[in-house]
Amino acid sequence: MKALSAAVVLFFSCAAQAQVLGFGSAPQGSIGYNMSSAIAKVMAESANLQSRVQPYSGSSAVLPLVNSGELDMAVCNVLEIQEATQGEGPYNGRKQANLRVLAVIFPLLSSIFVRKDSPIKSLADLKGRRIPAGFSAQLTLDRIIDAVLANGGVERRDIVPVLVPNVIRGADDFVEGKIDGGFFALGAAKVLEIHKSTGGIRYLPLSDDPAAVERMKKHMSYAYVTEVKPGPAFAGVDAPTKLMAYDYLVAVGAHVKDDTAYKIAKAMYENKPKLIESLGAFRGFNPELMNRRMPATFHPGSQKFYQEKGIAK
């Protein structure tokens, strides 16, 4: 009987150690998927936490699954966590109250891009042009694009919207010539693919003039303008270019154990070089700012780690 009891204890102990976290992500080829894969690798190698990155059509499909406990974690942007946890925008009437912030990663940099030889030189030149819209699987992207356009004095009514479900489809439509201005985060593998297949692309610059920034912030209050210098990881930027920046973060469900959240935060904090090996965009990751203020509650497990490191807000 004692032997049987010991076997049962060993079985459940092994089962607990073998638990695999569900890591929801954006589609393969997106920077969200690449971020998720990089973090999952560090979790496995440095914290012995196994996870399975599961690509979905977009964050609008993933965050409700994290909220319900069907998935454990995901990456998303600051606007997405704000709308989801506060029941705004596409989440109006269905607040995702079980979402928590585990860590702030780094800002995504973006604008509308055009073909390198395009006569379109500024955001203002996009009036009357075909731009991706709709984003049925990534609903917050419409607001992000509206914020970029507003910086250049362009409104939704000024463009010709072309409906797409997500950024991957929008990128493919750009390559096929179905739209004039594409949208994708700088540094993503898909951007390099587009750059090579079209003979080169060029990101349109934003303005840091206070009036232009104010127009942008009416759509995205947490966005800001920053200058990006050319680099091997930045296809579409051949000269110093001002782009819109907005933070990306790791979101987890409230059901995730404190110890697990603590270990994930610790693994990320201590392994920036390994994260960069998987995705160059992690050069913009500042471990000392992982606990930067966000419009949602932090998970108590990761918060405990930040308090120990003296960076808790």
Side-chain angles (χ1 to χ4, degrees), residues 34 49 80 84 109 125 143 164 170 238 256 281:
N34 296 337
L49 291 172
E80 289 167 335
L109 306 167
D125 292 340
R143 276 184 64 181
V164 296
D238 294 332
V256 172

Side-chain angles (χ1 to χ4, degrees), residues 231-268:
F234 294 153
V237 175
D238 294 332
T241 305
K242 291 173 182 174
L243 301 178
M244 186 175 82
Y246 52 98
D247 289 322
Y248 249 70
L249 53 93
V250 178
V252 295
H255 67 278
V256 172
K257 294 179 180 179
D258 289 2
D259 183 57
T260 300
Y262 179 100
K263 289 179 179 178
I264 297 171
K266 184 175 187 292
M268 292 178 63

Side-chain angles (χ1 to χ4, degrees), residues 77-90:
N77 67 54
V78 61
L79 177 59
E80 289 167 335
I81 200 71
Q82 175 186 341
E83 291 184 333
T85 58
Q86 297 179 17
E88 300 174 352

